Amino acid sequence: MKNPFERMPTVLTADELIDKAFRRAERAASAFKPRGDKVKKARQREELRIRTVSNVIRDNLKKVLERTPGLSTLPKFYQELVDVLVDRDTFHKAMAGIDWAIRMVRELEERYVERIRHSKDPDEMAQLRRQFYGRVASVLRDIDDRLRYLNKAREVLKDLPVVDLEIPTVVIAGHPNVGKSTLLKALTTAKPEIASYPFTTRGINVGIFEDGYFKYQVIDTPGLLDRPLSERNEIEKQAILALKHLGKLIVYIFDPSEYCGFPIEEQMHLFEEIYSEFNEFPFIVVLNKIDIAKKEQVEKIEEFVKRKGLEVFKISAAKGEGVEELKKKIVEVLRPLAHEVAKKKIEEELRRYRSALNL
Ligand code: GDP
């Protein structure tokens, strides 16, 4: 799985692009050895300049259009993220602006080449060419804002988290310091990758574990599922929405020891919020730090959770106690989904083989 914006090229500003095109045109013109009389030579040289400027600009802009994925073609998870980061409307307008500029430059090219072909005066030809340069520059300056905007968007988009959208994914939630990243490390064998996650600037932890043929992804998103909804801004809310397209199971962690700094009541309150926000999801509830928690504290949360008809797993992520049982439960919940994913992959591969063999 790759970041869909990986291939998006740097977007030059209007002045940079104008500069590049004009310099290329001068280089081409000075290397060019036209034939014929003075008028013919001048005509060929000016035509070459115009064609070169037009080609350089259009190629450059086309590359931006071609290598930037259409937002609506992206998986839902990315659509939500991109929409908060770069605003869909502005993004589309910027792309439309580029499309417009490509067409305008092409039109000007044809018009001015035509006029130069009809001219018999080298001075007039040079003047027409300069006029063409001026008009092209003004087309590009018209879209300069959009070019700059796209380049800024690119800077953000190329840092989107690279998570595998195919693998069944567990999202870990709970207050800060309850042991989320410790559990992620205990569950996943691979060293967790820290992908950048532009909303929180704190990164997203991603780890993967395998169970036989199947793979499962575990992610922890510091800053997103560790505070009450009422304290989140719009961007964070939408980032949470994005998580819904990615996650298939929530593992909610309590810290009954309260060493995390949040009293049990507060933890219950956050749980209620996340439980109702993600009500369509299966939940697994974990009581962590069982090695240092008091019996009454554990019982208090256990009772609260059991009243909701949920099962409780008591673990110590730091010591690895109870982690295997928890993993078994996660696999039990997600295995049907993993089956589906594997089946789809195999079917796809079979299709590819068949078409390669012309069956
Ligand atoms: P996060 O903010 O939820 O990711 O929490 P961390 O995983 O960073 O853990 C916060 C602190 O709790 C760290 O100092 C951990 O070492 C500690 N911790 C995590 N799990 C356990 C546990 O099972 N027992 C004990 N005693 N400490 C733990």
Side-chain angles (χ1 to χ4, degrees):
M1 179 65 208
K2 284 182 179 163
N3 178 329
F5 293 92
E6 195 180 64
R7 289 182 68 242
M8 189 175 172
T10 310
V11 186
L12 300 180
T13 64
D15 282 341
E16 284 166 349
L17 189 49
I18 290 163
D19 232 47
K20 182 175 174 175
F22 289 0
R23 259 189 288 122
R24 276 274 201 86
E26 281 327 295
R27 223 184 305 144
S30 61
F32 184 53
K33 301 271 174 283
R35 289 153 187 267
D37 60 25
K38 191 169 160 248
V39 173
K40 253 195 184 147
K41 279 182 179 165
R43 185 178 293 131
Q44 286 176 39
R45 189 165 270 136
E46 297 306 1
E47 182 172 338
L48 178 69
R49 282 189 170 119
I50 288 177
R51 297 272 190 221
T52 307
V53 164
S54 170
N55 282 336
V56 170
I57 291 172
R58 286 183 300 113
D59 284 352
N60 193 284
L61 295 180
K62 262 191 216 148
K63 209 167 76 185
V64 174
L65 287 189
E66 283 164 9
R67 295 200 184 168
T68 305
L71 300 190
S72 56
T73 67
L74 297 177
K76 279 271 183 291
F77 170 68
Y78 280 111
Q79 286 193 26
E80 299 282 359
L81 292 192
V82 169
D83 202 22
V84 269
L85 288 171
V86 304
D87 181 69
R88 195 176 287 245
D89 259 12
T90 321
F91 195 84
H92 283 151
K93 274 190 195 135
M95 296 287 276
I98 291 188
D99 192 57
W100 170 82
I102 292 173
R103 276 182 286 114
M104 286 303 287
V105 170
R106 180 73 180 162
E107 254 180 65
L108 289 169
E109 171 192 348
E110 291 309 331
R111 204 183 312 156
Y112 279 88
V113 164
E114 193 60 28
R115 287 173 73 180
I116 282 173
R117 281 184 183 166
H118 283 101
S119 171
K120 296 189 171 57
D121 172 10
D123 286 341
E124 188 192 36
M125 291 175 198
Q127 203 186 340
L128 284 168
R129 185 255 306 158
R130 277 195 296 272
Q131 231 179 66
F132 168 79
Y133 277 20
R135 299 199 57 180
V136 163
S138 117
V139 165
L140 290 183
R141 289 195 182 112
D142 270 355
I143 61 159
D144 191 45
D145 282 356
R146 297 172 186 210
L147 294 173
R148 284 172 194 270
Y149 167 83
L150 272 182
N151 202 47
K152 262 202 217 125
R154 172 183 179 267
E155 292 291 314
V156 176
L157 295 173
K158 70 183 178 28
D159 283 338
L160 283 180
V162 181
V163 290
D164 197 318
L165 301 175
E166 307 260 304
I167 306 179
T169 298
V170 181
V171 177
I172 304 185
H175 269 114
N177 293 318
V178 295
K180 295 188 295 299
S181 62
T182 309
L183 177 63
L184 189 141
K185 277 182 215 133
L187 279 175
T188 58
T189 44
K191 224 173 76 189
E193 251 183 66
I194 315 286
S196 97
Y197 202 49
F199 312 98
T200 64
T201 66
R202 273 181 280 174
I204 174 173
N205 303 328
V206 186
I208 286 178
F209 73 86
E210 287 173 18
D211 178 63
Y213 179 72
F214 303 116
K215 277 186 183 171
Y216 301 91
Q217 185 169 242
V218 184
I219 67 168
D220 163 31
T221 56
L224 285 188
L225 297 183
D226 57 9
R227 261 175 307 144
L229 256 180
S230 49
E231 291 173 21
R232 296 195 203 101
N233 61 31
E234 279 310 306
I235 286 182
E236 288 170 327
K237 277 186 196 154
Q238 199 150 355
I240 288 166
L241 212 64
L243 277 185
K244 288 193 183 182
H245 296 297
L246 178 68
K248 294 293 174 274
L249 164 68
I250 310 278
V251 169
Y252 191 92
I253 307 188
F254 281 98
D255 175 0
S257 79
E258 298 182 328
Y259 269 94
C260 62
F262 298 91
I264 288 175
E265 282 70 27
E266 222 174 292
Q267 295 186 47
M268 288 173 172
H269 175 71
L270 180 62
F271 174 82
E272 293 279 14
E273 278 211 352
I274 292 183
Y275 193 52
S276 68
E277 178 71 30
F278 286 82
N279 61 2
E280 68 271 41
F281 281 70
F283 264 71
I284 294 178
V285 177
V286 169
L287 310 198
N288 188 31
K289 306 193 191 177
I290 215 73
D291 51 317
I292 52 170
K294 291 197 197 88
K295 200 165 160 257
E296 315 86 75
Q297 294 174 313
V298 172
E299 282 171 355
K300 197 169 170 189
I301 303 180
E302 231 179 338
E303 211 178 287
F304 164 78
V305 175
K306 281 190 173 154
R307 251 184 280 133
K308 299 187 180 300
L310 291 167
E311 203 179 339
V312 171
F313 286 80
K314 290 182 256 183
I315 69 163
S316 166
K319 300 201 160 162
E321 282 166 28
V323 173
E324 275 314 304
E325 288 81 351
L326 173 61
K327 198 186 242 183
K328 261 198 205 125
K329 181 68 189 182
I330 292 174
V331 167
E332 193 188 306
V333 175
L334 290 183
R335 190 178 277 142
L337 200 69
H339 262 276
E340 279 300 304
V341 172
K343 208 173 129 203
K344 251 196 233 157
K345 263 195 191 149
I346 290 169
E347 278 166 3
E348 246 167 55
E349 239 158 75
L350 273 179
R351 251 199 308 278
R352 227 174 308 136
Y353 278 131
R354 286 210 183 97
S355 75
L357 294 171
N358 279 327
L359 290 175

